[in-house]
Amino acid sequence: MDDLSSDLSSIGSLSPPPSPLPQCYPSPASSQDISASSVSQSSTESTPDTVDVDGPPPAKKRKIAEPKPRTTEYLDLTSLTEEHFSSQKKQLDLLLKVLRKRRKIVVVAGAGISVSAGIPDFRSSTGLFSTLRSEHKLKASGKHLFDASVYRSDSSTSSFHDMVRSLSHLVRAAHPTVFHQLLATLAQEGRLMRLYTQNVDGIDTSLPPLATSVPLNIKGPWPRTVQLHGGLEKMVCSKCNHLSDFRASLFEGPEPPLCTVCEEMDSVRTNIAGKRSHGIGKLRPRIVLYNEHNPDEEAIGAVVSSDLRMRPDAIIVVGTSMKIPGVRRIVREMCGVVRGRRDGVAIWINQGPEPPGKDFEDCWDLIVKGNCDEVARQVHMRRWDDDAGSFTECTEWEVERAKQKVGEVKVVIQTPKKNHGFDKVKGVLTPIASPKFKPMTLNGLPESIPQARPKKKTKAKKLNPASKGASISDILKQHATNSKPRKNRKQSKPRPAPSAATALKINTAFKVTKPKPAQTSPTNVKTKVHNSWAAKDQAEPPPLSPLPMCPLSPQAARNNGPTHPPLLFPNLHKSQDVTSPVGTKVQGVCDRKRSGSAAGTISPTGRLPPSLALIMNE
């Protein structure tokens, strides 16, 4: 064991005794040091890296406030005493604040908003379901007349037509209620996002701010009012879906009226085209019955989805019993989105209790029991067609409350100030200075505008046809026109002969080619030219127009040749003597006996008629 022991075995294995506790306890460190030390200890335990204790303190965690618990308030408008209003001041203020201040309000309305206009509702004791049963002697409820099975028998169809016709007469005699005007005012101010109405009377859509479109478009933009169950203002064909205005006089008896559009198309098909008939459709009111497909179902779903994305800040459900499953779903989803907002308010307005069911438990912030028209009177907003929009309307309750806070309220009407500008002025007023215009010229234009100067007529320059490459036909035509005598034409003076300096000047316009070997030319042959004037036995030819200035040939200028103007085309008369009409002989310039080598020109070679050669060399 002694051999196997290591060097560390010599050190005592016993630990040193603990130090005695101090008599006095030290004061605790500051909160910053404690937090820093705690952070460092926790960080060292988790990660091996060291943390800077002297750095900034850690970020504070954001305190998330818990949502306030939602409670349902109740407001009773059936009793209109002052004591009652004072006890329900908080609920009334909430209702008025929503209708006056909120910017995105959704309203779901039922038949209860039209009762005061003379249109009965459906499920009350005086509603259509109870009255229609006694009028038409039905075995079941009057709800049977609003079912799609009314077209199965003639008796039910006849009762349905009678009900529709009488309801149409009631609608024509009805007028919008106070609550209808309130909805129109909200729509005109742009604070009504959407009105979902279940009414078929069309009183709400008769107001311009609440107008709708029939049929409803699947894609936006959509109207302010959406009819969930159609309306009596239109009738539709069951075959061609043609829409037309509703005519109550057509719906009499058990037989539905025929569609005029289908009759016209069928007559053309059978009588003119000679084809078989496809049948004629029948008209019916464009309202949605029970157990029937809604033609606007897809469009209504698109509108509801769009409104849910817009997140309305208030929803008001008024005048409905919420018995239709589709309407219950729309209201439930809207209430969920509205109450999801911190400031969202869901209001139920009806004379009866709130709708039962687990899906509507804890769904309302305010339940108002009373008539919807009383709500409109309490809000007391201006009508949508009232032009006096510069005044703020208030209720009597608000006036009394303002008197208690401020004291006596004084109404001060300021009259407009009178115009004392010209009443106290005596004499004739000095007129103002006339406007300054720019001076005009005789042509009617101001001097600043530069006038166009008339163009000067320039004389046409006579160009050398040989230097410009004129054709032989052009030269012949020019000579023919110049040779004709003209009346009252002054003969131009002949140009003077070129001076010695001009003759000695070298013209570089022509290109000098290499000299060609000399060719033997025959002796000059005298040729007699028979001109036109010789045939007419004239003594002398008519005076010719002077020739244009001809440049000297390079050969003549280089050899200091004669000063007379050279011929234009000297090679045309090579080794030929042409006899002029006067009798003199004209020798070719290119004659080798006279001018030696004439190979430094670009004149054309070849033989031409003597008359043409004479014309070219004049």
Side-chain angles (χ1 to χ4, degrees):
M1 295 295 293
D2 295 338
D3 297 337
L4 297 175
S5 63
S6 61
D7 296 337
L8 296 177
S9 62
S10 62
I11 301 174
S13 60
L14 297 176
S15 61
S19 60
L21 297 174
Q23 298 294 332
C24 58
Y25 294 95
S27 60
S30 61
S31 60
Q32 183 175 0
D33 296 338
I34 294 174
S35 62
S37 61
S38 62
V39 171
S40 62
Q41 291 177 2
S42 61
S43 62
T44 53
E45 292 177 359
S46 59
T47 57
D49 297 337
T50 60
V51 179
D52 188 7
V53 181
D54 298 333
K60 296 182 179 180
K61 293 184 178 180
R62 181 181 178 184
K63 295 182 179 180
I64 301 176
E66 296 181 359
K68 296 181 179 180
R70 292 272 186 173
T71 58
T72 304
E73 302 290 341
Y74 292 88
L75 176 61
D76 190 2
L77 296 180
T78 55
S79 59
L80 304 177
T81 60
E82 293 183 3
E83 297 179 358
H84 181 71
F85 278 114
S86 60
S87 62
Q88 295 184 344
K89 176 183 176 182
K90 179 182 177 181
Q91 292 80 0
L92 183 60
D93 290 344
L94 177 60
L95 177 63
L96 300 181
K97 181 180 178 181
V98 169
L99 291 174
R100 291 178 180 175
K101 302 299 182 182
R102 294 307 167 93
R103 296 295 178 183
K104 296 188 292 184
I105 303 175
V106 174
V107 179
V108 180
I113 66 173
S114 302
V115 173
S116 58
I119 308 298
D121 58 358
F122 291 92
R123 291 180 172 84
S124 64
S125 58
T126 58
L128 291 177
F129 289 170
S130 59
T131 57
L132 291 176
R133 179 180 180 181
S134 59
E135 289 180 5
H136 299 279
K137 299 179 181 181
L138 300 175
K139 296 180 180 180
S141 172
K143 182 180 177 181
H144 175 71
L145 294 181
F146 291 92
D147 194 274
S149 60
V150 293
Y151 289 104
R152 293 181 180 178
S153 61
D154 294 342
S155 60
S156 59
T157 305
S158 179
S159 301
F160 175 72
H161 289 169
D162 295 341
M163 184 269 297
V164 169
R165 189 170 60 252
S166 61
L167 187 60
S168 176
H169 295 327
L170 292 176
V171 169
R172 291 183 179 180
H175 298 282
T177 62
V178 184
F179 194 80
H180 285 112
Q181 301 292 344
L182 173 62
L183 296 177
T185 302
L186 294 176
Q188 188 191 37
E189 294 178 355
R191 298 192 293 116
L192 180 65
M193 179 186 294
R194 200 78 61 198
L195 170 61
Y196 294 94
T197 177
Q198 305 178 65
N199 300 336
V200 297
D201 49 33
I203 298 177
D204 42 14
T205 56
S206 63
L207 299 175
L210 300 176
T212 187
S213 60
V214 180
L216 191 64
N217 298 326
I218 298 178
K219 296 184 178 180
W222 296 286
R224 191 76 63 181
T225 304
V226 175
Q227 292 180 328
L228 299 178
H229 300 154
L232 280 176
E233 65 270 8
K234 297 290 183 181
M235 57 183 181
V236 63
C237 176
S238 59
K239 183 178 183 300
C240 65
N241 295 327
H242 176 71
L243 286 174
S244 57
D245 296 336
F246 182 78
R247 295 170 59 186
S249 58
L250 298 178
F251 295 89
E252 292 184 0
E255 192 68 25
L258 300 178
C259 177
T260 56
V261 177
C262 290
E263 289 181 343
E264 183 178 357
M265 294 296 296
D266 189 74
S267 63
V268 172
R269 180 179 177 84
T270 56
N271 299 334
I272 298 177
K275 298 181 180 180
R276 62 183 181 87
S277 176
H278 279 182
I280 299 174
K282 296 182 180 181
L283 299 177
R284 53 162 294 180
R286 197 182 186 278
I287 60 176
V288 182
L289 302 176
Y290 289 106
N291 302 319
E292 183 182 40
H293 172 71
N294 191 343
D296 296 331
E297 180 179 1
E298 185 177 357
I300 292 173
V303 177
V304 172
S305 300
S306 176
D307 291 347
L308 290 174
R309 289 192 297 268
M310 294 294 292
R311 293 179 60 82
D313 53 9
I315 179 173
I316 300 175
V317 183
V318 54
T320 177
S321 59
M322 300 288 292
K323 297 293 184 179
I324 308 300
V327 179
R328 290 178 67 93
R329 179 181 176 183
I330 293 174
V331 173
R332 185 177 64 252
E333 293 180 356
M334 286 289 178
C335 288
V337 173
V338 170
R339 301 196 76 189
R341 298 179 52 139
R342 181 175 299 179
D343 57 345
V345 180
I347 301 177
W348 167 272
I349 302 176
N350 206 325
Q351 291 185 350
E354 64 272 18
K358 292 185 179 181
D359 51 348
F360 286 104
E361 289 182 358
D362 193 18
C363 189
W364 313 104
D365 294 307
L366 181 61
I367 296 177
V368 181
K369 182 180 179 181
N371 193 354
C372 58
D373 293 341
E374 184 61 29
V375 175
R377 295 188 189 97
Q378 291 296 326
V379 179
H380 198 67
M381 296 179 63
R382 66 177 184 86
R383 289 169 58 97
W384 64 273
D385 53 353
D386 189 4
D387 296 334
S390 59
F391 301 97
T392 303
E393 299 178 358
C394 58
T395 61
E396 297 179 358
W397 173 257
E398 292 179 345
V399 175
E400 294 295 335
R401 186 173 55 183
K403 288 181 180 180
Q404 294 176 3
K405 291 183 179 180
V406 182
E408 187 179 358
V409 180
K410 295 181 180 180
V411 180
V412 180
I413 301 176
Q414 296 181 357
T415 58
K417 296 181 179 181
K418 296 182 180 180
N419 187 10
H420 301 286
F422 298 99
D423 295 342
K424 298 181 180 180
V425 178
K426 297 181 179 180
V428 181
L429 298 176
T430 304
I432 61 176
S434 59
K436 296 181 180 181
F437 298 97
K438 294 183 180 180
M440 308 296 289
T441 59
L442 296 177
N443 296 335
L445 300 174
E447 292 184 353
S448 61
I449 302 176
Q451 299 182 9
R453 297 181 179 179
K455 296 182 180 180
K456 295 182 180 180
K457 297 182 179 180
T458 56
K459 295 182 180 180
K461 296 181 181 180
K462 294 183 179 180
L463 302 177
N464 187 4
S467 62
K468 294 297 180 179
S471 60
I472 299 176
S473 61
D474 296 338
I475 298 174
L476 293 176
K477 289 181 181 179
Q478 183 180 2
H479 178 73
T481 54
N482 295 338
S483 62
K484 293 182 181 180
R486 298 180 181 179
K487 296 182 180 180
N488 300 331
R489 181 181 179 183
K490 296 182 181 180
Q491 295 181 358
S492 59
K493 296 181 180 181
R495 295 180 180 272
S499 61
T502 307
L504 294 176
K505 185 177 180 181
I506 299 175
N507 189 1
T508 60
F510 297 94
K511 182 178 180 181
V512 180
T513 58
K514 295 181 180 180
K516 297 180 180 180
Q519 297 179 0
T520 58
S521 60
T523 59
N524 296 336
V525 181
K526 296 183 178 181
T527 307
K528 185 177 180 179
V529 180
H530 299 277
N531 295 324
S532 59
W533 57 81
K536 297 181 180 180
D537 300 333
Q538 294 181 359
E540 293 182 359
L544 300 176
S545 61
L547 294 175
M549 182 181 294
C550 301
L552 293 176
S553 63
Q555 186 70 22
R558 186 162 49 249
N559 298 334
N560 296 328
T563 59
H564 61 82
L567 300 179
L568 293 179
F569 302 98
N571 290 337
L572 295 178
H573 309 289
K574 184 182 295 184
S575 302
Q576 291 184 2
D577 293 336
V578 181
T579 304
S580 64
V582 183
T584 61
K585 291 182 179 180
V586 180
Q587 279 188 350
V589 180
C590 294
D591 193 4
R592 301 189 182 277
K593 294 180 180 182
R594 180 177 177 180
S595 59
S597 177
T601 64
I602 59 171
S603 301
T605 59
R607 297 176 56 86
L608 290 176
S611 59
L612 180 59
L614 181 63
I615 294 172
M616 297 295 293
N617 291 324
E618 284 183 354

